[in-house]
Amino acid sequence: MRIEDYYFEENEKPLDKVPEDGGFTAIFRRIAVIGDSLSSGEFEAVISDTEREYHDCYEHSWGQYIGRTIGAEILNFSRGGMTAREYCQTFAKENGFWDKDKAADAYIIALGINDKANYNHDIGSTDDIKDDWRENGDTFIGNYARIIQRYKEISPKAKFFIVIPPRGIPYSDEPANTRMKALIKSLHVIEEFFPDVYAIDLHTYAPEYDQRFMDAFFMGGHMSAQGYLITAKMIMAYIDFIIRKNSADFKEAGFIRTPWKYDMRNM
């Protein structure tokens, strides 16, 4: 055993290490995934030369691949086409995703591509984030923050990981590219605004989704089963990196969803 593999090493970058068992991601026993089609294992089926069908196959979502790797319960709070606005206005309530019995240890949020690249919702600013989430502005930042704020009420000690989309062909056409730049900037703003929120910055650190990557891991505009599996490996490796780099922040992870504490300074 090399104990050094379990420490954060100076100058280490995310994804330098990819533990096959998911690493320290396994300290979370229940994880909720909030997202769109790419969080739902969506596959594109060809019906004819002009027709396509899209199916959310959750058992192939990267979240469920994570769950099977680390033995954790994964809650898919996701659906193809989802936006932060729809999640807040109707989707979460209609599906019971605000219910306290669904409180999680960690929340992975992967929203924004539909919001900005496809629908060009107003990004907004931190001025749209209010102390009372009910008063947040109806902008991307306002709605995304509302999701975090509501789940902080439901699971106060939970950790949040927000996924920043990668570079590459699916995100490179104009005007989507310009919109994606605005989206990425806004996600970093949200990360810096809240405690216990960490960015999974695939844009900076993941492999580029170039033609070779697309040929290997995509079917049309969505991933294949292999693509969702390799995404799971990247997300687990990135969370493992975050935990090792910020070990003090995660020392009490075993007390999430309990009334117990260890650090007297937090009482």
Side-chain angles (χ1 to χ4, degrees):
M1 180 181 188
R2 248 180 55 91
I3 192 62
E4 289 79 9
D5 291 339
Y6 298 91
Y7 297 134
F8 172 73
E9 297 184 290
E10 188 177 359
N11 300 320
E12 182 183 348
K13 295 182 176 60
L15 307 187
D16 280 354
K17 299 176 183 178
V18 182
E20 288 301 314
D21 62 358
F24 282 116
T25 307
I27 67 175
F28 301 117
R29 306 315 301 145
R30 179 189 270 184
I31 300 171
V33 177
I34 300 159
D36 52 29
S37 59
L38 294 174
S39 301
S40 304
E42 185 163 297
F43 293 136
E44 182 175 332
V46 175
I47 306 304
S48 70
D49 289 344
T50 58
E51 293 179 283
R52 300 289 187 273
E53 282 185 351
Y54 299 90
H55 303 276
D56 286 345
C57 298
Y58 291 102
E59 69 271 25
H60 287 290
S61 67
W62 49 259
Q64 294 303 325
Y65 281 121
I66 289 173
R68 289 191 288 271
T69 300
I70 66 175
E73 179 185 8
I74 305 296
L75 306 178
N76 273 103
F77 293 174
S78 63
R79 194 205 66 206
M82 189 52 51
T83 65
R85 176 177 292 164
E86 182 181 358
Y87 193 90
C88 290
Q89 291 182 350
T90 58
F91 181 67
K93 182 178 180 181
E94 288 172 353
N95 290 277
F97 294 157
W98 303 128
D99 294 354
K100 290 187 177 180
D101 64 355
K102 294 185 177 72
D105 299 330
Y107 295 84
I108 305 175
I109 308 177
L111 290 169
I113 293 174
N114 288 317
D115 307 71
K116 193 60 188 171
N118 294 337
Y119 300 131
N120 198 23
H121 291 171
D122 181 19
I123 285 287
S125 71
T126 54
D127 291 340
D128 297 310
I129 306 174
K130 310 301 182 183
D131 291 338
D132 183 344
W133 51 260
R134 299 167 186 83
E135 298 177 359
N136 283 15
D138 184 23
T139 63
F140 176 70
I141 287 178
N143 286 312
Y144 201 107
R146 189 193 309 261
I147 294 169
I148 294 172
Q149 289 167 294
R150 290 199 70 171
Y151 284 122
K152 278 181 173 287
E153 286 185 0
I154 293 166
S155 187
K157 293 185 280 189
K159 304 298 183 181
F160 293 80
F161 302 94
I162 61 176
V163 179
I164 296 177
R167 298 163 289 130
I169 291 171
Y171 316 103
S172 60
D173 63 309
E174 294 292 349
N177 183 45
T178 299
R179 294 174 181 175
M180 287 297 291
K181 289 177 181 177
L183 169 65
I184 290 165
K185 183 177 180 181
S186 71
L187 290 171
H188 283 299
V189 166
I190 292 167
E191 176 201 13
E192 293 168 3
F193 188 89
F194 289 105
D196 293 323
V197 173
Y198 306 85
I200 297 176
D201 188 356
L202 301 184
H203 182 80
T204 302
Y205 296 107
E208 183 176 359
Y209 287 23
D210 57 14
Q211 192 59 57
R212 185 180 184 188
F213 189 98
M214 298 290 292
D215 291 343
F217 302 121
F218 268 72
M219 297 194 304
H222 295 82
M223 284 183 277
S224 63
Q226 299 98 309
Y228 290 117
L229 177 56
I230 199 169
T231 301
K233 291 178 181 290
M234 286 192 280
I235 288 177
M236 286 187 288
Y238 210 122
I239 292 175
D240 174 76
F241 167 85
I242 290 169
I243 294 170
R244 287 186 293 103
K245 185 178 181 181
N246 305 279
S247 59
D249 293 357
F250 294 89
K251 206 166 265 190
E252 294 185 57
F255 287 167
I256 300 174
R257 292 191 290 137
T258 79
W260 309 325
K261 293 181 179 290
Y262 174 76
D263 191 341
M264 297 294 290
R265 293 169 298 179
N266 294 330
M267 298 187 73

